[in-house]
Amino acid sequence: MLVLDQVLENGTEHAELLPATNDNHGGVIVDMEEAMDSEVFVTSLRASISRWRQQGKKGIWIKLPIGLVNLIEPAVGEGFWYHHAEPNYLMLVCWISETTSTIPANASHRVSIGAIVLNDKREVLVVQEKSGRFQGTGVWKIPTGTVDEGENIFMAAKREVEEETGIETEFLEILAFRQSHKMFFEKSDLFFICMMRPLSFDIQTQELEIEAAQWMPFEEYAAQPFAQQHELFKYITDICLAKVQGDYTGLSQIPVTSFFNDKLSCLYLNSRDLNNYLASSDQA
Amino acid sequence: MLVLDQVLENGTEHAELLPATNDNHGGVIVDMEEAMDSEVFVTSLRASISRWRQQGKKGIWIKLPIGLVNLIEPAVGEGFWYHHAEPNYLMLVCWISETTSTIPANASHRVSIGAIVLNDKREVLVVQEKSGRFQGTGVWKIPTGTVDEGENIFMAAKREVEEETGIETEFLEILAFRQSHKMFFEKSDLFFICMMRPLSFDIQTQELEIEAAQWMPFEEYAAQPFAQQHELFKYITDICLAKVQGDYTGLSQIPVTSFFNDKLSCLYLNSRDLNNYLASSDQA
């Protein structure tokens, strides 16, 4: 953290530097928290940029909470542009180095899950939603939902099922996934179809989003017109039958240490095929 | 498209309505293109919101190109907040209905690929990069890159390999993928490991990003210390060997019509297992 201090800018004026922390890529992050007059901000920003140039800094990030919306226009006036935004802040960025910019791409995909929860009687857990595309259609569908920022896909599947129906589950496999584009504005969507084993059986419907929920014989679910008419749902039904009656294997999850930040991340792979190979190569 | 027209606001003033198009969810999108004085904008916005309330509209989107940065502060003053941003625009949103908000979540994940290109001599296509984590380490790595907004994963793998090495390829399968978190600020990353078959063999190194590229015997690639030391790379090596020497099947891609917008999207599934099941159930 560079402390707020006085710097001689161009030999003519004193200006307080903006508070900044170094990132891991030769840049700095300015996390603005306190309200500031926009003219004072511009003076400090210019002095800070001058200092960062001397230090050989490259990418300059400015995070502005929505309460400091008055500082966006002056930052853009000094050459900053938008990187990403969340409801309560805007992240601006500027590349002040002569080298080629390595500013990372913004997030481009939303990630969602559909959870197939099958019990021993070969009944599937289905819901009717109070809003959305299927509202009022009478269609019984599998629980679906959006993966939260920072949430593992398999955990999102467990959470959504429990939130919507009260049923606890164990994640087994990702059976398949779909990538589609322009789902909202220019953004894309990855939809992961997760196979789950129920650990409880008494349904508690969530009132806000769910009209009704039940265990439904799989054949009855698959016989619904929407599941017959739409290519994606037909595939899901077939894959599900192949999983139950045949020898279909999807991708199961293993925690691995991330190469980049030493945190745990999740690797999804065909464990059956890999383990078969490793067992056979051990014997050889 | 609501045309710009005159509306009697509260019986007292005339204000020009903002140009807006209806979205498919009971809301409207204001795509601001022309420069506007911020006071004129506020007057028009208030009149427009009044009209939209009468019409029962719910979510109101305002897309502001970076050139109209002066309109952000007044929009926030009228109750709007940020939804997402790209380098050249900011999308603001407001929910003006009494009903529960159904504003979609922002994109939360960046998507990237690593391409394993193996030729018939069991050599793997590897590169040394001019920047990034492996710069100057002497490590030979598989081509990697970011999936563009609106781009299919398998197409991104083909593109990155061709950009970096000039080698044309055919996509075979996604062997595995990794989800990791907080890769830049709060955003997550999905990294898909793609198996590719080369269709050409003469390497043309891209000068900007790539220091060197070559076909390397797979055993030599796998014997590099980094591939031995890091859990993820060890798994990738094992999966690759299981693919070549064993019976490992990942997820291959099938185009399907999207249920939501009738566009083509991509379904990734274990085709071998599904086809085996369908063949056996046909016979039964």
Side-chain angles (χ1 to χ4, degrees), chain B residues 59-279:
Chain B
I60 311 299
W61 302 87
I62 301 180
K63 183 180 178 179
L64 291 179
I66 194 163
L68 304 189
V69 61
N70 64 308
L71 303 183
I72 299 174
E73 192 172 354
V76 170
E78 296 303 309
F80 281 74
W81 60 89
Y82 311 143
H83 187 268
H84 65 276
E86 292 299 327
N88 55 355
Y89 76 88
L90 173 66
M91 184 72 79
L92 296 118
V93 69
C94 185
W95 189 258
I96 63 169
S97 160
E98 297 298 313
T99 60
T100 307
S101 162
T102 57
I103 292 170
N106 189 8
S108 53
H109 285 64
R110 190 171 50 176
V111 180
S112 56
I113 57 88
I116 298 173
V117 188
L118 267 185
N119 68 19
D120 288 344
K121 291 185 277 187
R122 210 196 279 189
E123 294 167 326
V124 61
L125 182 63
V126 289
V127 299
Q128 289 185 335
E129 291 178 341
K130 284 191 174 171
S131 63
R133 183 61 66 108
F134 291 109
Q135 180 192 350
T137 60
V139 164
W140 291 95
K141 60 182 280 295
I142 58 171
T144 55
T146 304
V147 177
D148 289 338
E149 209 163 62
E151 185 178 38
N152 284 321
I153 293 165
F154 77 97
M155 290 299 292
K158 286 163 64 87
R159 177 181 54 74
E160 285 287 351
V161 171
E162 191 163 357
E163 279 178 11
E164 293 190 1
T165 67
I167 299 294
E168 289 173 47
T169 55
E170 176 194 3
F171 170 84
L172 299 176
E173 282 181 349
I174 288 170
L175 296 180
F177 72 89
R178 184 207 56 189
Q179 185 191 25
S180 43
H181 302 301
K182 304 213 173 189
M183 292 301 279
F184 62 109
F185 303 109
E186 296 303 311
K187 301 294 181 177
S188 303
D189 187 275
L190 283 163
F191 176 66
F192 291 90
I193 299 150
C194 300
M195 190 78 187
M196 318 291 286
R197 176 187 296 139
L199 301 176
S200 69
F201 302 92
D202 288 338
I203 293 172
Q204 304 260 327
T205 304
Q206 190 227 45
E207 302 246 325
L208 190 64
E209 293 175 21
I210 303 300
E211 187 66 44
Q214 65 164 321
W215 292 103
M216 179 183 257
F218 187 80
E219 284 65 27
E220 205 176 313
Y221 164 78
Q224 294 179 96
F226 92 95
Q228 292 292 319
Q229 285 157 8
H230 289 283
E231 225 178 346
L232 177 64
F233 295 109
K234 192 80 179 64
Y235 271 115
I236 293 177
T237 303
D238 283 345
I239 290 169
C240 202
L241 285 172
K243 179 72 201 170
V244 176
Q245 301 180 336
D247 201 25
Y248 187 97
T249 303
L251 306 183
S252 49
Q253 73 95 12
I254 305 179
V256 293
T257 309
S258 170
F259 174 69
F260 292 101
N261 58 12
D262 279 341
K263 292 199 191 107
L264 272 188
S265 53
C266 263
L267 183 65
Y268 293 83
L269 78 180
N270 185 331
S271 297
R272 178 196 64 181
D273 288 1
L274 179 61
N275 291 338
N276 282 347
Y277 166 73
L278 293 175

